[in-house]
Amino acid sequence: MRSSLLVPLSSALLILAAGCGGSDEKGSSSQGNTDPADSWVEPAPATDTNPDPTIVEVDLEAREAEKSFLEGKTTAVLAYNGTVPGPLIEANVGDTLIVHFKNSLPEETTIHWHGIRLPNNMDGAPAVQQPIAAGDTFTYQFTLRDAGFYWFHPHVMEEEQIRKGLFGVIRVRGQDEPQADDEKIVVLNDVLLKEDGSFDDEVDDDLIMLGREGNVLLVNGRTMPTLELEPGALTRLRIVNVANGRFFNLALPGHTFRVIGTDGGLIPKPYDAERLLVAPGERYDVLLIGQGEPGEEIVLTNEAYARGHDTGEAAPMPLATVRIGAGPALSGRTLPDSGPAIERLPGGAADTTITFDERFFQGELKFLVDGNAYPDVPPINVENGSTHVFDLKNDAEMDHPFHLHGFFFQVLARDGVAVADDALANKDTLILPQLSTTTVVARFDEPGDWMYHCHILEHAERGMMGEIVVSP
């Protein structure tokens, strides 16, 4: 099923966006409008108000704001602390994070701390937290157990609130961080806009089936920003895909991505990727060495990816310009061949099978787990402290990104073929290829009701979600 609506409007706005760049939010004290339109702008750091070096305490407010994604056009957005993306929270492993949250939206919301292992009552999911009403406040507090790159977003009306701008990132550093000459944050997103710059809120079966894909592609909230790479310099990229439905398949001519980490932090065996496929909700930690002549400009593109329903034939889409600096070229920079050890969880036969599927019921498109739509999906009960093996079966004719709240999992096999030992990684979001089965294992060490769902937000909102109940 291919959208006939998106193609003409998409092409027109993407061409316009690629030539103009986007400006920052109006009225923001942390991000002004003084940067050139094609500047590489990082998410604004959140202010830590606590003098204790082991406590990170920040104020976070969700409110309405304005942003210009297209030159001369204003878009009404939802924003954390007035910026899109929202602020960057910086912390170290073992720190206590305290977030004083105020909901200044005209509607209820929560915050889900995507990928972070934390107490159940801090997860922000509807199963465990009453929505925070308009005008109300809530304080989130938990210990950051794992180094890595995480993000936060609502888990109430997330299909609408995330696409309109409510997302931010968290960088948690460990003791032995990889060495690099530079480090950049890359927040991948898209927005579906009308010609006047306003959000296109119409939805049809095509948009629901694939998840809402925008007609303007963004990096850190901007169209076609320019990233400077010095020749020979080793640059670390922390990448997250916050889009509702778009998969980003990254390519940079003349360069290879050395993947050193993913959702749950660094991996034991780094690997090279000519294309880096990032599903909604996923994160990747990569290194690359600037290659090219001084002043040369290279385009980072989003390549076509066949994820089902006749996708995969689109032309490459430009995301950002990479400019090679004037030098002098740095030498002696090497890419790591190994990373920190990860405990391998025990495998075995599957304890539970979870089946994703999609169907029409009386003319309405539904996304199902084990033949049911949430909240009618029976919960899965596991014991606290146990490891549990799941067969994640995708019976749909398209890929679905599976996300588990509160825990990491490890992939054991794909369609019955064991995954190699050197591919060990801690994940919380994973692509389930169409018409396939992926076997994973997780250790459940925190009691409570924990969500799992497809991270194409239009699918989660229409039933592709369930709960794992961990006994006290």
Side-chain angles (χ1 to χ4, degrees):
M1 180 181 297
R2 179 183 297 169
S3 173
S4 58
L5 255 177
L6 279 178
V7 175
L9 182 57
S10 260
S11 300
L13 283 184
L14 278 169
I15 291 170
L16 175 61
C20 72
S23 62
D24 294 314
E25 295 76 7
K26 294 183 179 180
S28 167
S29 60
S30 56
Q31 272 185 290
N33 291 321
T34 58
D35 296 299
D38 65 347
S39 295
W40 186 274
V41 177
E42 300 273 300
T47 301
D48 181 4
T49 61
N50 197 307
D52 189 325
T54 66
I55 299 175
V56 177
E57 190 166 2
V58 302
D59 295 320
L60 194 64
E61 180 185 15
R63 63 177 186 259
E64 296 176 318
E66 290 184 344
K67 184 174 177 69
S68 177
F69 295 114
L70 300 174
E71 186 175 5
K73 312 290 184 180
T74 299
T75 305
V77 299
L78 307 180
Y80 288 127
N81 291 2
T83 67
V84 179
L88 163 67
I89 297 175
E90 295 267 24
N92 296 311
V93 169
D95 286 353
T96 297
L97 177 61
I98 303 173
V99 178
H100 302 290
F101 176 65
K102 180 179 181 180
N103 179 16
S104 296
L105 302 173
E107 60 195 33
E108 62 188 19
T109 191
T110 63
I111 300 180
H112 167 56
W113 307 92
H114 185 120
I116 294 179
R117 298 193 295 163
L118 75 183
N120 193 226
N121 62 353
M122 294 287 109
D123 187 53
V128 297
Q129 181 183 4
Q130 287 293 321
I132 303 164
D136 280 359
T137 61
F138 186 86
T139 296
Y140 292 93
Q141 180 171 336
F142 46 86
T143 299
L144 296 165
R145 299 166 58 183
D146 307 286
F149 189 50
Y150 308 98
W151 65 298
F152 54 93
H153 60 78
H155 224 290
V156 171
M157 297 180 287
E158 59 264 41
E159 174 187 339
E160 297 300 315
Q161 293 188 358
I162 294 176
R163 78 177 177 89
K164 291 186 174 180
L166 285 181
F167 48 84
V169 290
I170 304 177
R171 180 165 52 195
V172 183
R173 297 197 183 275
Q175 292 184 343
D176 298 314
E177 290 288 316
Q179 296 301 306
D181 297 302
D182 198 5
E183 181 170 327
K184 299 293 184 184
I185 288 174
V186 183
V187 180
L188 302 170
N189 193 24
D190 61 0
V191 285
L192 185 58
L193 302 179
K194 298 179 182 179
E195 291 186 4
D196 64 359
S198 63
F199 284 114
D200 188 341
D201 294 325
E202 293 187 14
V203 64
D204 61 10
D205 285 341
D206 288 342
L207 285 177
I208 295 171
M209 179 62 79
L210 291 174
R212 186 184 298 265
E213 288 191 336
N215 48 22
V216 177
L217 273 58
L218 303 170
V219 179
N220 294 348
R222 291 191 159 204
T223 56
M224 287 301 292
T226 298
L227 173 64
E228 296 275 352
L229 292 183
E230 291 301 319
L234 192 62
T235 299
R236 185 179 185 184
L237 303 178
R238 305 287 195 112
I239 301 169
V240 59
N241 179 358
V242 304
N244 273 34
R246 183 180 296 279
F247 287 54
F248 283 88
N249 192 21
L250 305 180
L252 184 62
H255 293 75
T256 299
F257 302 104
R258 175 64 58 92
V259 179
I260 61 171
T262 182
D263 302 335
L266 299 173
I267 57 177
K269 181 63 176 177
Y271 63 92
D272 287 340
E274 298 294 329
R275 300 286 185 273
L276 185 67
L277 180 62
V278 191
E282 272 193 305
R283 285 92 63 215
Y284 279 92
D285 192 346
V286 305
L287 292 169
L288 56 82
I289 296 178
Q291 304 284 345
E293 296 298 322
E296 181 180 354
E297 293 189 346
I298 311 163
V299 177
L300 175 70
T301 57
N302 180 30
E303 301 291 303
Y305 169 66
R307 61 186 181 101
H309 298 304
D310 297 328
T311 58
E313 299 178 2
M317 297 178 176
L319 285 173
T321 300
V322 175
R323 181 183 297 134
I324 305 301
L330 300 177
S331 61
R333 306 298 173 181
T334 59
L335 294 168
D337 293 319
S338 62
I342 293 176
E343 178 191 2
R344 177 176 284 282
L345 300 179
D351 301 294
T352 304
T353 297
I354 299 174
T355 303
F356 282 12
D357 203 357
E358 58 204 33
R359 298 178 203 159
F360 278 94
F361 282 104
Q362 299 178 339
E364 184 179 0
L365 188 56
K366 290 285 188 179
F367 296 88
L368 308 175
V369 176
D370 296 332
N372 299 289
Y374 186 82
D376 296 326
V377 177
I380 299 169
N381 296 293
V382 302
E383 294 183 3
N384 187 31
S386 69
T387 56
H388 201 85
V389 178
F390 298 87
D391 273 345
L392 304 178
K393 188 178 180 184
N394 182 6
D395 280 351
E397 294 184 351
M398 69 170 292
D399 295 1
H400 289 283
F402 170 87
H403 172 53
L404 174 65
H405 286 211
F407 306 95
F408 299 135
F409 55 82
Q410 297 171 0
V411 179
L412 298 175
R414 297 184 184 275
D415 289 328
V417 178
V419 171
D421 288 343
D422 61 6
L424 184 65
N426 286 328
K427 297 282 291 176
D428 59 65
T429 307
L430 181 73
I431 297 174
L432 303 182
Q434 54 194 290
L435 304 175
S436 72
T437 298
T438 304
T439 304
V440 304
V441 59
R443 174 179 290 142
F444 295 93
D445 56 2
E446 188 70 43
D449 296 351
W450 297 96
M451 309 296 301
Y452 65 89
H453 58 86
C454 175
H455 218 282
I456 295 174
L457 302 181
E458 285 72 20
H459 298 179
E461 286 284 293
R462 289 163 179 81
M464 198 170 270
M465 183 157 54
E467 295 177 20
I468 297 174
V469 179
V470 182
S471 62

